[in-house]
C-alpha cells in the first residue's frame, strides 16, 4: 500500500482531520511494526485557536507546528504521557491534528488499550524521538486504510481544553461512532436540573 503523500497534510486542518479517520498509523520501531486504524481525532487550527499550543506563539516546543505540513508533533503532558499530532495546513499557520484513538490492526498485543492519546502512544511506541519526523518515513507513516462513511462520523467539543473559552465548545473532535476504541469522556460540568 502506498504511503499518504506529504501533500495530504498541506490542506485546511478540519479537512485533514476528517480524512484521517480510517487511515492506518504505522510505527516501525523498537517494539516492532505496530499499526492502528485512526478512529478519533481533534483539530487545532493555529495561533488564533485558543486551545492550540501555538496560540502562545512560536516556542521550541511548538516550532514544528509552524510547518511545513506532513511532520509529526509529539509532546509530553503531565510529565508522563506522549501525544501524537500531524502538522497540517500551510507553513506559518501552526495547526495540527491530535490522534486520540486507534483500533489495533497489526503488532499490538491483545488487551492493550488504544482509546486515548497517551495510551495509543505508549502502545505504539511513540515518544519525543518521533517529534518533527516526516510522516512518509520508514519508521513513521500513514497508509490510506478504509475510509469512515460520513454517516458514522460524530463531531463534538475537544477534550480537556476548557481554559480556551468559546474555542472549547467548537465541534473539532471527530470520531467513528461504531468504534470501541474511542476515548471515554465524562463532562466535568455540572448537569442542569430541570
Amino acid at each position: 500500500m502506498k504511503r499518504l503523500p506529504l501533500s495530504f497534510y498541506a490542506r485546511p486542518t478540519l479537512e485533514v482531520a476528517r480524512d484521517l479517520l480510517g487511515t492506518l498509523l504505522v510505527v516501525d520501531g523498537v517494539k516492532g511494526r505496530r499499526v492502528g486504524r485512526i478512529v478519533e481525532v481533534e483539530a487545532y487550527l493555529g495561533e488564533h485557536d485558543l486551545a492550540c499550543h501555538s496560540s502562545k506563539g512560536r516556542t521550541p516546543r511548538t516550532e514544528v507546528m509552524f510547518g511545513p505540513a506532513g511532520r509529526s508533533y509529539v509532546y509530553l503532558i503531565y510529565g508522563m504521557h506522549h501525544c501524537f499530532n500531524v502538522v497540517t495546513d500551510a507553513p506559518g499557520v501552526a495547526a495540527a491534528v491530535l490522534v486520540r484513538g486507534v483500533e489495533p490492526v497489526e503488532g499490538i498485543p491483545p488487551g492493550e488499550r488504544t482509546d486515548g492519546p497517551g495510551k495509543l502512544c505508549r502502545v505504539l511506541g511513540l515518544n519525543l524521538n518521533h517529534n518533527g519526523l516526516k510522516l512518509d518515513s520508514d519508521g513513521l507513516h500513514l497508509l490510506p486504510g478504509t475510509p469512515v462513511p460520513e454517516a458514522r462520523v460524530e463531531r463534538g467539543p475537544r477534550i480537556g481544553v476548557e481554559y480556551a473559552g468559546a474555542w472549547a465548545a467548537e465541534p473539532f473532535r471527530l470520531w467513528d461512532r461504531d468504534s470501541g476504541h474511542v476515548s471515554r469522556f465524562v463532562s466535568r460540568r455540572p448537569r442542569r436540573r430541570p
Side-chain angles (χ1 to χ4, degrees), residues 33-50:
R33 179 181 170 90
R34 296 201 168 180
V35 182
R37 180 173 176 267
I38 297 175
V39 294
E40 181 184 11
V41 296
E42 283 181 349
Y44 291 87
L45 305 188
E47 290 182 275
H48 64 284
D49 177 349
L50 296 182

Side-chain angles (χ1 to χ4, degrees), residues 3 36 84 108 123 135-136 138 140 143 146-147 150 163 165 187:
R3 297 171 188 176
F84 169 78
I108 298 173
V123 170
L135 293 173
D136 63 354
D138 289 339
L140 179 61
L143 302 172
T146 303
E150 189 60 35
Y163 58 84
S187 175

Side-chain angles (χ1 to χ4, degrees), residues 13 25 32 42 162 164 171 176:
T13 305
L25 174 57
E42 283 181 349
E162 292 81 13
D176 180 347

Side-chain angles (χ1 to χ4, degrees), residues 173-186:
R173 175 177 168 239
L174 294 81
W175 66 96
D176 180 347
R177 74 165 184 227
D178 290 351
S179 176
H181 298 275
V182 172
S183 301
R184 303 297 179 249
F185 173 62
V186 178

Side-chain angles (χ1 to χ4, degrees), residues 9-180:
Y9 309 97
R11 300 179 293 136
T13 305
L14 286 169
E15 287 179 22
V16 176
R18 168 60 183 96
D19 293 345
L20 281 171
L21 293 176
T23 62
L24 302 176
L25 174 57
V26 180
V27 182
D28 271 315
V30 295
K31 295 187 174 193
R33 179 181 170 90
R34 296 201 168 180
V35 182
R37 180 173 176 267
I38 297 175
V39 294
E40 181 184 11
V41 296
E42 283 181 349
Y44 291 87
L45 305 188
E47 290 182 275
H48 64 284
D49 177 349
L50 296 182
C52 187
H53 287 174
S54 64
S55 68
K56 304 284 190 259
R58 201 175 205 132
T59 67
R61 178 185 185 185
T62 63
E63 182 67 30
V64 69
M65 293 184 74
F66 286 83
R71 302 292 193 278
S72 61
Y73 170 44
V74 181
Y75 59 89
L76 192 64
I77 57 168
Y78 310 124
M80 58 203 284
H81 301 295
H82 292 96
C83 292
F84 169 78
N85 300 256
V86 301
V87 175
T88 59
D89 218 306
V93 174
V97 177
L98 171 67
V99 177
R100 288 200 59 89
V102 299
E103 290 180 350
V105 173
E106 178 186 333
I108 298 173
E112 290 282 6
R113 293 187 59 186
T114 54
D115 58 339
K119 294 174 193 172
L120 74 86
C121 282
R122 182 185 53 76
V123 170
L124 295 176
L126 289 165
N127 56 49
L128 295 177
N129 293 326
H130 295 94
N131 188 46
L133 290 182
K134 284 185 172 182
L135 293 173
D136 63 354
S137 69
D138 289 339
L140 179 61
H141 55 270
L142 283 85
L143 302 172
T146 303
V148 175
E150 189 60 35
R152 285 190 2 219
V153 176
E154 294 286 341
R155 291 171 171 81
R158 295 171 290 189
I159 297 173
V161 295
E162 292 81 13
Y163 58 84
W167 284 95
E170 292 290 346
F172 295 162
R173 175 177 168 239
L174 294 81
W175 66 96
D176 180 347
R177 74 165 184 227
D178 290 351
S179 176

